[in-house]
Amino acid sequence: MIISEKFKNKRPIISFEIYPPKREEALRDIDETLKILCELKPDYISVTFGAGGSSNNNKTIALAKKIKDDYGVEPLVHLTCLTYNKNEIDQFLRELQSQGLENILALRGDRNPNIAQKEDFFHASELTTYIKKNGNFCVAGACYPEGHPESPDMVSDITNIKKKVEAGDAFLISQLFFENEMFYNYVEKLRIAGVNVPVTAGIMPVINKAQIEKMVSVCGASLPEKFKRILTKFENNKEALYDAGMAYAVNQVVDLLASDVDGIHLYTMNNPRVARKICESIRNII
Ligand code: FAD
């Protein structure tokens, strides 16, 4: 089913992100993860894509197909474009079509000095335009409550988000953030700019200090003081950090739901217990 239709029938939409494990054995273990995630009945599960053209990208399609066929949950397939030419994207789109996969998150991908950039696509909006022209897909895009790290200012950031939506993105998924007020301000700016598609809030429950420091250094999200205090206080106590990290994420999610957010997208890091704990905490709220 086309995910944009789901937003017409239900708000908030609840979704999870997973990544294809690199090792073959881990890919077999993914069934245990999917079983728990799918029992939570998410509206869709998104599957990440390696920007480097690795063979792991076939695993993205295989995993998406498994989610759809074996678990009856709608997958959203991430697709990046910076390191691909039109022929390669065509091949990917044909494969998705033949597998009955209808939903794509169109992304540019991060720049990587070790991977050659190609000349067909420079921005995610160009990929969205291309997909809409060459297939019958529902396309979504990424957005950044603190602005994309390469954006010189919020005006150019939002101007470029508007281009994606004009190109055909039917909804947006936000980068992770730890301060809800920042997300609310950002969505307000999008609305003022005339971006009226649903905006789903990306939430990452933090249970591991090293993991979050790595994520934040890659994506540029800032850590509020109250969150840093939790990390500092409990970094050497795994159980305490788990409890505190989960409580923080639940608190964020409850506030977002109370504010009538369009959707919540949980970055699960392939840890289904984290997703289960959050869903259990809000089962009487959604
Ligand atoms: P774009 O929309 O192209 O934006 C990138 C920068 O270019 C921004 O600063 C933007 O303002 C600017 N820009 C856009 N259009 C124009 C224009 N016409 N003229 C001038 N400037 C412009 N990466 C992966 O490799 N694999 C994944 O699976 C993956 N999944 C993600 C999922 C989510 C929800 C998010 C938020 C990010 C994900 N990423 C993933 C990371 C993403 O690829 C990076 O953030 C990347 O740097 C930007 O991608 P984008 O699609 O937002 O790019």
Side-chain angles (χ1 to χ4, degrees), residues 48-49 78 107-110 123-124 142 144 148 151 160 164 267:
T48 66
F49 187 84
H78 296 205
L107 297 153
R108 187 198 70 180
D110 277 324
H123 306 292
Y144 302 83
H148 183 271
S151 294
N160 290 325
K164 296 191 200 197
Y267 293 104

Side-chain angles (χ1 to χ4, degrees), residues 15 39 46-47 71-72 87 109-110 117 148 154 159 205 224 232 253 266-267 283:
S15 55
E39 276 169 7
S46 83
V47 187
Y71 294 91
N87 285 341
D110 277 324
Q117 204 171 307
H148 183 271
M154 213 34 127
T159 304
T232 307
V253 170
L266 288 183
Y267 293 104
R283 70 169 172 268

Side-chain angles (χ1 to χ4, degrees), residues 82-252:
L82 204 56
T83 56
Y84 296 95
N85 60 31
K86 285 183 180 167
N87 285 341
E88 289 164 317
I89 295 291
D90 285 341
Q91 210 178 324
F92 199 79
L93 296 182
R94 273 197 300 275
E95 184 64 17
L96 290 183
Q97 208 138 18
S98 74
Q99 303 284 354
L101 300 169
E102 305 172 283
N103 299 287
I104 301 176
L105 180 62
L107 297 153
R108 187 198 70 180
D110 277 324
R111 296 186 196 287
N112 181 337
N114 302 319
I115 304 169
Q117 204 171 307
K118 295 197 176 155
E119 298 293 315
D120 284 349
F121 302 98
F122 297 96
H123 306 292
S125 56
E126 292 159 0
L127 179 61
T128 298
T129 302
Y130 191 78
I131 297 171
K132 293 305 281 183
K133 210 168 124 196
N134 292 287
N136 192 17
F137 294 97
C138 168
V139 185
C143 67
Y144 302 83
E146 299 182 57
H148 183 271
E150 290 170 35
S151 294
D153 52 46
M154 213 34 127
V155 173
S156 70
D157 187 275
I158 288 187
T159 304
N160 290 325
I161 295 290
K162 196 168 178 195
K163 283 183 195 159
K164 296 191 200 197
V165 173
E166 286 166 353
D169 284 351
F171 63 101
L172 298 167
I173 304 178
S174 92
Q175 183 57 280
L176 59 94
F177 60 92
F178 296 99
E179 187 63 81
N180 287 1
E181 293 307 320
M182 211 146 43
F183 177 80
Y184 301 140
N185 289 339
Y186 183 69
V187 174
E188 191 176 25
K189 287 185 186 123
L190 288 173
R191 299 308 182 221
I192 290 168
V195 175
N196 290 315
V197 297
V199 183
T200 289
I203 298 294
M204 177 176 278
V206 174
I207 55 170
N208 175 322
K209 188 169 187 238
Q211 168 203 352
I212 196 58
E213 284 176 346
K214 182 165 172 245
M215 284 302 297
V216 165
S217 74
V218 172
C219 77
S222 61
L223 296 178
E225 285 308 316
K226 61 183 172 186
F227 189 80
K228 284 188 199 159
R229 274 197 296 276
I230 290 176
L231 290 181
T232 307
K233 176 85 182 166
F234 303 120
E235 63 180 309
N236 297 320
N237 182 337
K238 219 171 142 198
E239 285 77 23
L241 184 57
Y242 179 87
D243 282 354
M246 292 305 298
Y248 193 95
V250 169
N251 206 14
Q252 266 194 290

